[in-house]
Structure formats: structure tokens, C-alpha cells
Amino acid sequence: MAAAAATAPGALGILQVGRARLVAACCARLGPGWRLSGSWTVPRVDPATWARGWTPAAGGAAWRRGYSSEVKTEDELRVRYLEEENRGIVVLGINRAYAKNSLSTNLIKMLSKAVDALKSDKKVRTIIVRSEVPGIFCAGADLKERVKMNSSEVGPFVSKIRAVINEIANLPVPTIAAIDGLALGGGLELALACDIRVAASSAKMGLVETKLAIIPGGGGTQRLPRAIGMSLAKELIFSARVLDGQAAKAVGLISHVLEQNQEGDAAYRKALDLAREFLPQVDLVTGLAIEEACYAQTIPTKDRLEGLLAFKEKRTPRYKGE
């Protein structure tokens, strides 16, 4: 035991160096539930929020609806199609208060199903991703679920998270992440997949995976450098640093920062304002018509035929701009 303890610092140093090199390699390649040391406290909720039925969960670790200790799995993601002047806006509301909105197998499945339906819905014009839990956006992967997985299950699960986040990034309409609380690890990666991010000044966000001897696995090593630049992205990932809303705005991680309101939904309200601005602009039907017209121009070209022939003959195409 003593010998093992004596060698531990050196082993840890090797692990940290190796981990840092791995993250650097991932960040450099820009081609084709997390737990922090210390404790986090959920922001104080005002009387108006209490009046809507929110009460502190046991131990004060999270907030939940007063009528249930746990949300039913079918309610963990609420898809709302707004009406009247907001028609065309869809809100994806994460609702796992008892698990700090962490990404579980069930939630990932529900997100994938919702996104699959939205991408082919021509009535959808803008999508807002938000939390329905005060003080939390998404705390990352569900580590309580993860710890029960064997090694062979972890890789496929992380791949599913990555796939869903990619599906959100590839949606054909504008997407806005409304960060009104904690967004760590996979939670921030989810927000990074959105076209626009807005946050309350009290929000906390960061890719904190290196504190757990792993690296971001939901696209963070690729999307964070694209958002704020390579050098700063490496610094934040290596240090597992957590930024508040003002600091996130200063480095370009978010587009807008708002002082939190009594209801705890300042970022969501700003996201809704932005979504309303987008509604009068080019809609999906018109956009698809433009795409069809542009594609039609490529059909009679010699280069198109050359591309097909080169593919068939397994050679590099020789395009001439004709």
C-alpha cells in the first residue's frame, strides 16, 4: 500500500500529460454528468417561482415540481409548438430536475425522436433549446447511469450523445440555446450545437471533462475552437474552467448576456425575442425552393458528369468549370 501511494503522484502526472496531449490533438483536428470539486449552489428562487409549484428537493441539491419527487420519463423533454404571434417557434424544454437535466439514455432517445420529427416539419421556423428547471440548463451526461455501464457500453452511449448533438447542429432552421443556469460538459456541447447562444449573467458553463480524466466527447473539441478560437479553447479545456455569463460573452462563447430576472428565465425571453425577429425572414419552404433551383443549374454541367465518372472509375475528378 505504501509503495502504491508513493508512486501515485508520478502516475497522475503521466495521466495528466497524456490527457492534455489527447485534448490538444482533438482540438487541432478541425477537419471533416460531470462533477466539479467543491460544491455548486442553485440560485435562490423568488416567490413568483415558488408560486408556480417549484420546491427544493431533498438536500437542496436541485429544484423540482412540488407535486412529484421525480418527473415521469415521458415528461423529461417537453416539445411545445408556440401559437399566435409566435407560430413557427418550437421550444425543446429539458425537464429532469431530480438529475440536474443530465443526459440519460432515455433523454437522448427522446431528443433524437423530437429532432427527427422537427427536421421534416415545414411549419417549424426556429427552435429554442431551454431548461424548464430553475438554475440549471444541463449538467452533462448522467454519471449515475454511466457508472452502472460496463466498458463496452460506454463508447456506444457517448456515440449516441454525439449523434443527437450533431442532429441538432444539422437542423435546417435557426436554433437558439437559452442558458439560464448550469451548462457543463455535454450540456455546453448541446448549447454549442445551436446556431446562437444566449445566457443569464449568473449562468455557469464550461467543458469540465478533464477533471474526470476524460475529454469532451460530444463535439466540444471541435465546436469550441470554432466558436472562440483554438488557443483559448485549449486553455478552457485543459483547465476545466467554468465561466459565468459575462466572461462567456467576453470570449465570444455566447451572443447575448442578460441579468437574471425574478422568474429565472431571462435567457429564454431573449431567445424568444430573437426567434420572433427570425420569423419574417426566409422560411424553410422558400429556402428549399432556392436550393432546388440552384441544384438544377448543376445538372446539365460537364463537371457533374465528370464527378460521377470519376467516382465510378475510383479516380480523382478533373473539373474544368464547365
Side-chain angles (χ1 to χ4, degrees), residues 197-255:
R197 289 166 295 284
V198 298
S201 57
S202 58
K204 305 290 184 182
M205 60 201 86
L207 297 180
V208 297
E209 288 85 347
T210 55
K211 283 185 176 287
L212 295 173
I214 55 176
I215 69 170
T221 64
Q222 302 304 302
R223 293 193 175 93
L224 187 61
R226 286 169 166 81
I228 66 174
M230 179 71 71
S231 180
L232 187 53
K234 287 182 179 180
E235 179 182 332
L236 295 183
I237 294 174
F238 292 164
S239 65
R241 189 179 306 152
V242 175
L243 307 178
D244 63 17
Q246 294 291 352
K249 175 66 167 62
V251 300
L253 180 55
I254 61 175
S255 300

Side-chain angles (χ1 to χ4, degrees), residues 3-312:
T7 58
L12 180 59
I14 293 173
L15 174 63
Q16 290 174 333
V17 170
R19 188 171 62 212
R21 288 176 177 170
L22 180 58
V23 175
C26 289
C27 286
R29 189 175 179 80
L30 286 176
W34 283 247
R35 182 176 62 193
L36 291 173
S37 57
S39 62
W40 288 96
T41 57
V42 178
R44 182 178 181 274
V45 176
D46 64 285
T49 304
W50 282 88
R52 293 202 300 271
W54 292 101
T55 60
W63 295 90
R64 61 174 173 79
R65 287 285 187 186
Y67 55 74
S68 174
S69 61
E70 289 193 2
V71 178
K72 293 181 179 179
T73 55
E74 61 266 26
D75 293 330
E76 290 183 346
L77 180 70
R78 294 174 175 171
V79 182
R80 292 190 294 126
Y81 289 73
L82 304 190
E83 296 295 335
E84 299 177 355
E85 73 273 14
N86 296 321
R87 187 180 300 275
I89 301 173
V90 176
V91 179
L92 296 180
I94 306 174
N95 188 42
R96 297 191 76 219
Y98 65 95
K100 297 186 179 180
N101 282 356
S102 56
L103 301 172
S104 64
T105 300
N106 180 67
L107 180 56
I108 289 298
K109 187 181 299 183
M110 294 182 71
L111 274 168
S112 180
K113 183 178 179 180
V115 171
D116 190 57
L118 290 172
K119 67 184 179 184
S120 58
D121 190 338
K122 295 182 179 180
K123 296 179 181 179
V124 178
R125 305 275 287 279
T126 302
I127 297 169
I128 298 174
V129 181
R130 68 166 300 196
S131 166
E132 297 197 4
V133 179
I136 296 171
F137 177 74
C138 174
D142 189 336
L143 294 187
K144 289 184 178 179
E145 181 182 73
R146 176 80 62 84
V147 76
K148 298 176 183 177
M149 297 179 181
N150 59 47
S151 298
S152 63
E153 294 174 311
V154 174
F157 176 65
V158 174
S159 293
K160 289 179 182 177
I161 293 179
R162 187 183 303 116
V164 169
I165 289 175
N166 285 340
E167 288 172 12
I168 292 173
N170 292 328
L171 280 166
V173 295
T175 53
I176 309 170
I179 307 172
D180 274 307
L182 209 61
L184 302 179
L188 180 55
E189 289 176 307
L190 175 63
L192 282 167
C194 295
D195 299 310
I196 299 165
R197 289 166 295 284
V198 298
S201 57
S202 58
K204 305 290 184 182
M205 60 201 86
L207 297 180
V208 297
E209 288 85 347
T210 55
K211 283 185 176 287
L212 295 173
I214 55 176
I215 69 170
T221 64
Q222 302 304 302
R223 293 193 175 93
L224 187 61
R226 286 169 166 81
I228 66 174
M230 179 71 71
S231 180
L232 187 53
K234 287 182 179 180
E235 179 182 332
L236 295 183
I237 294 174
F238 292 164
S239 65
R241 189 179 306 152
V242 175
L243 307 178
D244 63 17
Q246 294 291 352
K249 175 66 167 62
V251 300
L253 180 55
I254 61 175
S255 300
H256 301 274
V257 59
L258 303 308
E259 288 299 319
Q260 189 56 281
N261 57 29
Q262 289 189 339
E263 290 76 19
D265 64 354
Y268 170 65
R269 293 191 183 192
K270 179 62 178 179
L272 199 55
D273 288 342
L274 290 172
R276 290 192 190 104
E277 282 189 66
F278 299 162
L279 288 179
Q281 311 312 320
V282 177
D283 61 281
L284 179 60
V285 174
T286 303
L288 291 174
I290 293 172
E291 177 186 281
E292 182 179 5
C294 292
Y295 188 90
Q297 296 180 40
T298 70
I299 295 176
T301 64
K302 294 180 180 179
D303 281 348
R304 185 184 72 88
L305 298 176
E306 166 61 14
L308 293 174
L309 186 61
F311 176 80
K312 179 181 178 181

